Amino acid sequence: DIVMTQSPDSLAVSLGERATINCKSSQSVLYSSSNKNYLAWYQQKPGQPPKLLIYWASTRESGVPDRFSGGGSGTDFTLTISTLQAEDVAVYFCQQYYSTPLTFGGGTKVEIK
Amino acid sequence: EVQLVESGGGLVQPGGSLRLSCAASGFSVSSNYMSWVRQAPGKGLEWVSVIYSGGTTKYAASVKGRFTISRDDPKNTLNLQMNSLRAEDTAVYFCATGIGYLYFDLWGRGTLVTVSS
């Protein structure tokens, strides 16, 4: 199984500042034949289902603000919120879909400092 | 409107059974990869099972042999039969799907399963 490790567990950032979340996979999720990273990012607010933000490690889902960006390749990935807004307070999860069992990171809680 | 609506959750005793359903609208469950994902109270996300458009199924090791995923194409519904339930199966169960790949761009709101005596 591919283990997904997120860091930090929680993060407090001032409004308008940058937030960076890390996600590391125990093996590469880069599919060589397509040169695509099978990595997605989700945002979850209390009492709601997760919302897809990013797929293929860096492709923003339709309607997601451009302050959200994803980067990385192979085993190391980041989700960056360039200028934190109040509505971005949530828990963020990474997920690999390279192979089953599909696995998620443990989550990073983003709060306002 | 494209949406997923889960039902069937509730309180069940350890060792008992429960059947969850997920009604889809706006698309055909038979055309998509349909999954169940669960979230224990205050915890992270755990993938449970997938049924591919061709009918192949996969399970997490924690539920294999106890849970069965299926779909009812005429009713456009995804199901999860859960047997031999344990306290650690207590969670909100979401159905989720994506187009052609196993990331999830559509989620239901979830249904709570509580396994307790």
Side-chain angles (χ1 to χ4, degrees):
Chain A
D1 298 2
I2 299 176
V3 177
M4 307 300 290
T5 304
Q6 279 184 241
S7 62
D9 293 336
S10 62
L11 186 59
V13 176
S14 301
L15 288 172
E17 296 299 305
R18 177 184 299 258
T20 301
I21 300 168
N22 302 296
C23 176
K24 188 175 182 68
S25 57
S26 61
Q27 64 189 76
S28 176
V29 297
L30 174 63
Y31 195 52
S32 55
S33 62
S34 63
N35 200 34
K36 286 180 179 285
N37 288 283
Y38 282 52
L39 190 285
W41 288 96
Y42 301 87
Q43 174 193 66
Q44 188 179 31
K45 297 180 179 180
Q48 296 183 18
K51 174 188 173 183
L52 178 67
L53 297 176
I54 302 282
Y55 55 98
W56 300 129
S58 61
T59 301
R60 200 178 300 114
E61 171 72 337
S62 176
V64 172
D66 60 7
R67 63 181 180 272
F68 291 93
S69 63
S73 184
T75 61
D76 292 279
F77 301 91
T78 57
L79 175 69
T80 301
I81 309 171
S82 59
T83 50
L84 191 75
Q85 305 298 306
E87 60 265 32
D88 301 334
V89 169
V91 180
Y92 294 84
F93 296 94
C94 60
Q95 178 226 336
Q96 66 80 19
Y97 50 100
Y98 183 89
S99 64
T100 57
L102 308 179
T103 46
F104 293 86
T108 296
K109 186 174 185 179
V110 174
E111 300 171 308
I112 305 296
K113 184 188 291 183
Chain B
E1 182 186 4
V2 176
Q3 65 175 358
L4 296 168
V5 179
E6 302 93 338
S7 61
L11 175 64
V12 61
Q13 291 189 337
S17 297
L18 211 55
R19 184 176 179 85
L20 305 183
S21 292
C22 172
S25 54
F27 71 99
S28 295
V29 295
S30 60
S31 301
N32 277 31
Y33 299 168
M34 300 296 299
S35 280
W36 289 97
V37 177
R38 68 185 180 183
Q39 187 169 36
K43 301 298 184 182
L45 300 167
E46 180 186 16
W47 172 78
V48 172
S49 181
V50 63
I51 183 166
Y52 292 96
S53 50
T56 299
T57 59
K58 299 278 189 181
Y59 298 91
S62 58
V63 306
K64 195 170 186 179
R66 301 187 298 123
F67 290 11
T68 302
I69 192 171
S70 64
R71 62 179 194 234
D72 185 329
D73 292 347
K75 293 184 177 179
N76 208 27
T77 299
L78 177 72
N79 300 305
L80 186 69
Q81 178 66 43
M82 304 186 295
N83 299 330
S84 303
L85 283 161
R86 307 165 179 166
E88 54 265 35
D89 295 318
T90 294
V92 174
Y93 284 73
F94 298 100
C95 64
T97 188
I99 299 177
Y101 294 94
L102 290 173
Y103 60 83
F104 307 119
D105 62 1
L106 181 64
W107 296 70
R109 295 203 63 85
T111 187
L112 175 63
V113 172
T114 304
V115 184
S116 175
S117 55

